[in-house]
Amino acid sequence: GAVVSQHPSWVICKSGTSVKIECRSLDFQATTMFWYRQFPKQSLMLMATSNEGSKATYEQGVEKDKFLINHASLTLSTLTVTSAHPEDSSFYICSARGRLRGRPDYEQYFGPGTRLTVT
Amino acid sequence: LAKTTQPISMDSYEGQEVNITCSHNNIATNDYITWYQQFPSQGPRFIIQGYKTKVTNEVASLFIPADRKSSTLSLPRVSLSDTAVYYCLVGELTRSNTGKLIFGQGTTLQVKP
């Protein structure tokens, strides 16, 4: 079964509004969570790395004030797209790294993704 | 993080064995090789991981030559449901590592009836 969930699975918002995406690790504590963005027909692009209780580390070219990441607990990270514009429309995927039922604690598990459409 | 190179696309027919090769000339001593599968509008799914020689699980085999500069994912007897994008990733997997995974372009496998 799924070990990482995302909510919502899809969202449509108007230009200029903000939208929050949740990523939860199920049945394990995620020491680190990652956020990716994927445009149609393209590969996943890492946006940022977040560790519980500390500020996220953003990849070069990713605006930290536009993509707010909060990793408040060991099972939840949120990505808020602020003042969204149509060019922010994309598929956002999170992953979580942690120990799952006897597996090594450095393994990474991906969520199902969230489709964001900004109109 | 080592750069990987894969064919952009491959076609196959149901029941055939498919081999997808990935080049990673700059692989480091501590790097592992991991393959993921992704269906449209879904997150990547772990397929197999290895360090050297051959690894086999219930869905695939991974062949890694002695110099580790390439690897081959082997899918036995593919079916239509194996149509997906396959990513080869190379990175260090240790507790002290950041865990960053950098995805290359991937290989789009199209299985035909």
Side-chain angles (χ1 to χ4, degrees):
Chain A
V3 296
V4 176
S5 68
Q6 285 185 236
H7 178 81
S9 56
W10 59 270
V11 57
I12 301 173
C13 70
K14 292 188 176 181
S15 186
T17 62
S18 296
V19 61
K20 180 185 288 187
I21 302 170
E22 292 186 349
C23 176
R24 292 182 185 272
S25 58
L26 310 175
D27 298 326
F28 75 100
Q29 293 184 331
T31 52
T32 307
M33 286 186 171
F34 305 86
W35 286 96
Y36 297 82
R37 180 168 55 180
Q38 186 175 35
F39 293 109
K41 304 291 186 185
Q42 294 186 25
S43 184
L44 286 78
M45 186 193 79
L46 179 65
M47 299 175 68
T49 303
S50 75
N51 294 292
E52 185 263 341
S54 61
K55 289 184 178 180
T57 301
Y58 291 81
E59 295 298 304
Q60 190 173 10
V62 178
E63 300 175 59
K64 62 180 181 181
D65 294 328
K66 181 170 183 62
F67 299 99
L68 302 179
I69 293 172
N70 184 289
H71 193 161
S73 76
L74 284 171
T75 60
L76 173 66
S77 176
T78 60
L79 167 68
T80 301
V81 183
T82 63
S83 186
H85 291 283
E87 57 265 31
D88 298 321
S89 298
S90 188
F91 191 54
Y92 292 87
I93 305 170
C94 74
S95 69
R97 187 189 193 200
R99 183 179 292 278
L100 174 67
R101 295 189 289 273
R103 300 294 300 169
D105 62 1
Y106 47 75
E107 288 200 0
Q108 206 169 129
Y109 307 93
F110 285 83
T114 296
R115 175 76 59 194
L116 169 63
T117 301
V118 185
T119 60
Chain B
L1 296 168
K3 178 180 168 63
T4 60
T5 303
Q6 306 172 231
I8 293 176
S9 64
M10 292 182 70
D11 288 340
S12 182
Y13 290 92
E14 282 191 291
Q16 288 187 335
E17 177 185 79
V18 171
N19 296 308
I20 306 174
T21 297
C22 177
S23 296
H24 28 80
N25 292 317
N26 296 322
I27 190 169
T29 303
N30 295 331
D31 285 344
Y32 280 73
I33 301 155
T34 310
W35 286 79
Y36 283 87
Q37 176 192 56
Q38 186 183 28
F39 297 113
S41 296
Q42 293 187 29
R45 184 177 76 101
F46 172 90
I47 301 175
I48 198 167
Q49 181 181 92
Y51 183 81
K52 62 180 179 180
T53 63
K54 177 183 175 182
V55 180
T56 297
N57 62 22
E58 61 276 9
V59 298
S61 294
L62 179 60
F63 298 92
I64 305 169
D67 65 6
R68 304 201 326 123
K69 293 184 183 300
S70 67
S71 59
T72 299
L73 173 72
S74 182
L75 305 172
R77 298 179 298 281
V78 295
S79 63
L80 295 176
S81 62
D82 292 317
T83 293
V85 179
Y86 292 82
Y87 294 98
C88 161
L89 288 87
V90 173
E92 184 177 344
L93 296 179
T94 65
R95 290 185 180 82
S96 61
N97 178 252
T98 61
K100 286 171 57 172
L101 295 178
I102 304 301
F103 284 78
Q105 63 183 15
T107 297
T108 299
L109 173 65
Q110 179 71 49
V111 180
K112 302 175 182 178

